[in-house]
Amino acid sequence: MKTFLLASAAILGATLLATAAVGGTYALLNSSVSANQAVTIQAGTAALSITSPLVMSDIALYPGARNVGTVEVRNDGTVSLALRLFGLTPPTAQTALSEGLVVGVRTVSAASECTSSLTPTITGTFLSAPVAELDTTLAPGATAMLCVSVLLSADAPSVSQSQTATSFGLLIDGRQV
């Protein structure tokens, strides 16, 4: 037993001597970073409604002429919504006239601003319907007035005379912000 104790003491001594000779530090390394801003995820409902129907003026279109009308939309949801034009629905009967139309949309603060000289924020045709932001955010319960314009392109074919393009649609939606 005495030999066992001497051997254990020798091993312990050698271990301590080796550790002291190597030197260095024994540290636990740890790193953390705190976020500057908290991230908030908000749930709610998103709902848009039309509070006034779109009524276009009955002025005859000719190449280069623009017809306008207003429509009002309301945020019936519980979250703020950024409005965007999500495309166009073409008239049920495609004609040479409907192929020459350029549809535009812009947010206005009053119906009196919606004139044929107003430049739309977004324009597109039924063949290349746009998807773009209207740069308008609606709080819950708020409304916005949109000026919708229909322009007959200057290079519309003469066969589009006396044709109609009714029952087309604008797809307006809202993105939660």
Side-chain angles (χ1 to χ4, degrees):
M1 174 86 154
K2 187 175 179 182
T3 311
F4 177 72
L5 285 174
L6 283 175
S8 294
I11 292 174
L12 180 61
T15 303
L16 289 174
L17 185 60
T19 304
V22 170
T25 61
Y26 299 96
L28 175 62
L29 300 177
N30 189 3
S31 176
S32 66
V33 176
S34 62
N36 291 339
Q37 295 179 356
V39 176
T40 302
I41 298 175
Q42 179 181 0
T45 58
L48 282 175
S49 64
I50 305 292
T51 60
S52 68
L54 174 63
V55 177
M56 303 295 289
S57 63
D58 57 358
I59 298 171
L61 282 178
Y62 54 86
R66 180 177 290 158
N67 200 340
V68 296
T70 60
V71 63
E72 197 171 74
V73 295
R74 180 178 59 227
N75 180 353
D76 292 324
T78 60
V79 294
S80 294
L81 298 173
L83 295 181
R84 70 179 175 166
L85 179 63
F86 195 65
L88 302 170
T89 304
T92 49
Q94 294 275 4
T95 63
L97 175 66
S98 64
E99 291 174 7
L101 295 178
V102 178
V103 179
V105 181
R106 182 176 182 150
T107 305
V108 292
S109 57
S112 59
E113 291 179 29
C114 188
T115 64
S116 60
S117 61
L118 183 71
T119 304
T121 304
I122 304 167
T123 60
T125 66
F126 297 115
L127 297 175
S128 64
V131 174
E133 299 286 330
L134 284 167
D135 298 327
T136 300
T137 300
L138 287 181
T143 60
M145 183 172 292
L146 303 178
C147 178
V148 178
S149 66
V150 177
L151 169 81
L152 183 58
S153 65
D155 59 352
S158 60
V159 295
S160 61
Q161 280 185 336
S162 301
Q163 293 184 341
T164 60
T166 59
S167 301
F168 66 88
L170 285 84
L171 305 173
I172 305 291
D173 74 357
R175 181 181 49 80
Q176 182 180 348
V177 290

